[in-house]
């Protein structure tokens, strides 16, 4: 709500007893001061909300509930310290403790003890209004400072040209710049590459906690203050500066008092005619408060996304559990009806498989899925994938491939890559349903080099990338929905035509691969989704097929073959034990890594370690496998998990060092994995 000048100049009067309000209002009016009588505290709060220069209240008016008044005072902006004039009864000695605390809580208070002459309230009101005007001037100053920041940016761009033209004007320009920077809360700095001399404004040292002038500054001193986790970011920014002539760094620093602050450092290099750098100059800002605000906003958005995620998961899993629980209930009621039991079991198995697919999509979004990356040329993968892509697009849609023959290799999980591309093709097909004209999906690949500005908000380093894009001629996505398309369970499709997990799975996969996904869309014209992957320094190898494995006969155990089964979940342990025993393996059970190591250090026969990855007790399945192979060189290992608790752990497993059987698994899948690991297919 806008506040008029008259509102900001008035004095609110709260004196509910006797004629204090009328008399005081008359005295102030005679002095030329505008007043607004308030019959009660609620009216005073309304007046404060509408705008006022000061408030005159009697001490007895402050006996009630003042929580709302204190809340208003606490909510004042930084520039505001609202003045109060309190008419109090004269005290013979010290004021009661409660009254003293109340006056201190009001903050900016002028206390007038009655009786007072007519000039005293008028003088106090005039003084309070003058103080309030200075606060309004401070408010205008803050607004002016923001405008000065934009002016500063233009001044900086013009500064280097003026230095080269007229040396005499440098000092005057420097003084103007220093004043503007200080007014905008920024510090200036520059470094002469030729002489090594550095200069900076006093605010620069203050940001790092120095009371006066700090030590001589150079790159190493700055790196010393940057927290260890951010030094890599700083080194890359400095390295990129020599290529782009611009420094753009945002990182955390540790002040001399130990406090951690966020800073933004920006600068530009000046070169001579031969291209050699002469000097670099720029600004430094303390962005800690802004970062706190941004983090609070991100946290609110994260909680909203979590609520949407949990609701979507509960909805989908309740549908699946309805099929499973209902089918099992009917099987238990009439187990003698074999055909009916078989039909219900097949329906329950189908629902369980859909639940498995849903879980894998969630794990992909959260980047906790098992990865088996390979260094490969994505063009070969896309061409091998083309027949499946054409079937997914449908006969009415033209599917065009425009692949760069000089495409660099990337390191990805081929199965996850194909799943991501298939999701994009299905989304593109659905976006073109019911539209007139030629339906076309274009699949392209190309090399790209992204600079610091291009990846500023992507969480990835600048450098060479490979871009795989899917473009459709569909209906497009409105701008208000475009920012949410990667959220899990958010979908632009009709109810029943999409789970809202397709693009979130694509997002999670690209992040796991060290890249990111970007989407451009124009309503009525179509959408392009681009997947960015970092170029691999390793040469591309032969791609491993991602289709169904060849039919392998069920393998049962050989004579006396023993499995050390490590599983902390009792129900899973019981199921796995029964499955292994049906396959005629001898089973040794351990519920954690410590028990497993006890068996491994013994003398009993153990042919293969079959262990869960995520376990309590301080040692996971990957670490147990390493220790098992140390204790028993040559022992076979098969890991199983449906969740990777740590991203680095998932990457270790995914390099192919250890085979992994994903949960949930069936007995034939377990048998096939054991056969591949043990290498006994002839039996």
């Amino acid at each position: 709500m806008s506040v008029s000048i008259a509102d900001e100049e008035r004095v609110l009067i709260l004196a509910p007893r006797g004629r204090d309000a009328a008399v005081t209002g008359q005295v102030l009016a005679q002095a030329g001061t505008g007043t607004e009588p308030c019959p009660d505290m609620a009216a005073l709060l309304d007046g404060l909300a509408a705008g006022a220069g000061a408030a005159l209240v009697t001490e007895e008016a402050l006996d009630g509930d003042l929580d709302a008044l204190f809340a208003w005072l606490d909510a004042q902006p930084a520039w505001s310290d609202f003045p109060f004039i309190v008419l109090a009864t004269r005290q013979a000695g010290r004021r009661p403790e409660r009254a003293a605390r109340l006056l201190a809580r009001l903050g900016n208070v002028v206390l007038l003890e009655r009786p007072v002459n007519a000039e005293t309230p008028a003088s106090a009101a005039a003084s309070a209004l003058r103080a309030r005007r200075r606060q309004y001037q401070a408010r205008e100053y803050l607004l002016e400072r923001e405008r000065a920041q934009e002016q500063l940016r233009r001044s900086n761009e013009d500064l280097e040209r003026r230095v080269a033209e007229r040396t005499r004007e440098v000092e005057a320009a420097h003084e103007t710049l220093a004043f503007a920077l200080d007014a905008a809360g920024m510090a200036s700095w520059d470094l002469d590459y030729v002489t090594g001399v550095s200069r900076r404004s006093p605010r620069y040292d203050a940001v790092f906690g120095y009371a006066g002038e700090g030590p001589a500054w150079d790159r190493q001193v700055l790196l010393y203050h940057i927290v260890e986790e951010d030094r890599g970011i700083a080194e890359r920014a400095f390295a990129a500066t020599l290529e782009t002539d611009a420094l753009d760094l945002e990182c955390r620093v540790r002040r001399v008092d130990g406090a951690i602050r966020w800073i933004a450092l920006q600068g530009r290099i000046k070169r001579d005619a031969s291209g050699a750098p002469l000097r670099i100059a720029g600004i430094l800002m303390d962005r800690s408060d802004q970062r706190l605000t941004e983090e609070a906003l991100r946290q609110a958005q994260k909680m909203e996304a979590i609520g949407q995620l949990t609701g979507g998961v509960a909805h989908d899993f309740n549908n699946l559990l309805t099929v499973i629980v209902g089918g099992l209930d009917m099987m238990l009621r009439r187990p003698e009806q074999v055909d009916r039991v078989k039909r219900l079991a097949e329906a329950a198995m189908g629902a369980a498989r859909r639940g498995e697919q849903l879980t894998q999509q969630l794990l992909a979004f959260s980047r906790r899925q098992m990865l088996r990356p390979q260094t490969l040329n994505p063009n070969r993968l896309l061409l091998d994938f083309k027949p499946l892509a054409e079937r997914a697009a449908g006969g009415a849609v033209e599917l065009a491939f425009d692949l760069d023959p000089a495409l660099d290799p990337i390191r990805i999980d081929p199965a996850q890559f194909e799943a991501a591309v298939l999701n994009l093709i299905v989304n593109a097909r659905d976006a073109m349903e019911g539209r007139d004209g030629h339906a076309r999906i274009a699949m392209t690949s190309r090399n790209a080099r992204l600079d610091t500005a291009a990846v500023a908000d992507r969480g990835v380093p600048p450098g060479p990338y490979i871009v795989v894009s899917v473009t459709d001629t569909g209906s497009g996505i409105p701008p208000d929905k475009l920012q949410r398309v990667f959220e899990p369970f958010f979908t632009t499709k009709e109810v029943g035509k999409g789970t809202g997990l397709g693009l979130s799975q694509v997002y999670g996969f690209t992040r796991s691969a060290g890249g990111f996904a970007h989407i451009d869309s124009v309503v009525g014209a179509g959408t392009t989704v681009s997947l960015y992957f970092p170029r691999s320094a390793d040469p591309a190898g032969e791609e491993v097929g991602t289709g169904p494995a060849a039919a392998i006969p069920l393998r049962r155990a050989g004579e006396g073959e023993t499995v050390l089964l490590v599983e902390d979940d009792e129900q899973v342990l019981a199921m796995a034990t029964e499955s292994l025993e049906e396959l005629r393996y001898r089973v040794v059970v351990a519920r954690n890594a410590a028990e497993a190591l006890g068996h491994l250090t013994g003398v009993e026969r153990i042919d293969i370690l079959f262990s869960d990855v995520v376990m309590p007790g301080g040692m996971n399945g990957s670490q147990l496998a390493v220790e098992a192979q140390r204790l028993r060189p040559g022992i076979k290992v098969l890991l199983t998990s449906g969740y990777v608790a740590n991203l680095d752990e998932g990457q270790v497993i995914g390099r192919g060092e250890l085979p992994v059987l994903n949960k949930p698994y069936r007995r034939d899948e377990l048998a096939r994995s054991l056969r591949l690991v043990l290498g006994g297919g002839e039996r």
Side-chain angles (χ1 to χ4, degrees), residues 100-279:
R101 285 201 310 268
L102 187 147
L103 294 175
R105 185 70 175 83
L106 290 177
N108 188 0
V109 173
V110 174
L111 182 65
L112 302 179
E113 292 190 338
R114 293 176 287 194
V116 296
N117 57 39
E119 291 79 6
T120 301
S123 175
S127 177
L129 289 175
R130 282 195 301 272
R132 189 61 173 169
R133 291 188 198 104
R134 286 193 293 271
Q135 294 177 23
Y136 291 139
Q137 291 170 357
R139 177 187 61 186
E140 295 303 318
Y141 173 77
L142 292 174
L143 294 175
E144 180 62 28
R145 188 176 69 173
E146 294 177 0
R147 291 190 288 268
Q149 291 179 350
E150 176 60 22
Q151 178 62 36
L152 173 64
R153 182 185 64 81
R154 293 192 293 266
S155 298
N156 275 339
E157 292 177 353
D158 192 53
L159 181 59
E160 290 185 5
R161 180 181 58 83
R162 294 177 60 191
V163 169
E165 293 174 350
R166 290 179 296 272
T167 304
R168 184 178 56 85
E169 295 180 357
V170 169
E171 292 300 327
H174 181 74
E175 292 177 5
T176 301
L177 177 61
F179 178 79
L181 282 170
D182 192 64
M186 299 179 182
S188 63
W189 57 270
D190 68 85
L191 174 65
D192 191 314
Y193 283 125
V194 178
T195 64
V197 175
S198 63
R199 305 179 184 86
R200 75 271 185 190
S201 63
R203 185 180 291 273
Y204 187 101
D205 292 313
V207 168
F208 293 90
Y210 293 99
E213 184 176 354
W217 282 88
D218 57 19
R219 174 172 165 173
Q220 293 305 316
V221 174
L222 177 61
L223 285 173
Y224 168 78
H225 278 278
I226 295 175
V227 299
E228 186 175 354
E229 295 83 357
D230 291 357
R231 286 177 188 167
I233 299 174
E235 291 283 11
R236 289 193 293 271
F238 291 143
T241 302
L242 295 176
E243 297 181 8
T244 64
D245 284 352
L247 173 62
D248 188 359
L249 170 63
E250 187 167 330
C251 63
R252 293 167 297 171
V253 298
R254 190 182 303 277
R255 290 163 46 105
V256 292
D257 58 6
I260 302 296
R261 304 291 289 178
W262 278 96
I263 65 164
L265 195 68
Q266 297 177 342
R268 185 171 294 277
I269 290 179
K270 178 179 177 58
R271 298 179 181 272
D272 60 16
S274 65
L278 294 176
R279 59 191 293 261

Side-chain angles (χ1 to χ4, degrees), residues 565 570-583 585 587-589 610 665 670:
L565 172 61
E570 290 295 336
Q571 291 181 320
V572 176
L573 179 66
M575 183 278 297
T577 301
E578 186 170 347
S579 296
L580 289 168
E581 288 176 345
E582 282 191 4
L583 293 170
Y585 287 95
V587 181
V588 177
V589 172
F610 180 40
Y665 53 83
L670 174 59

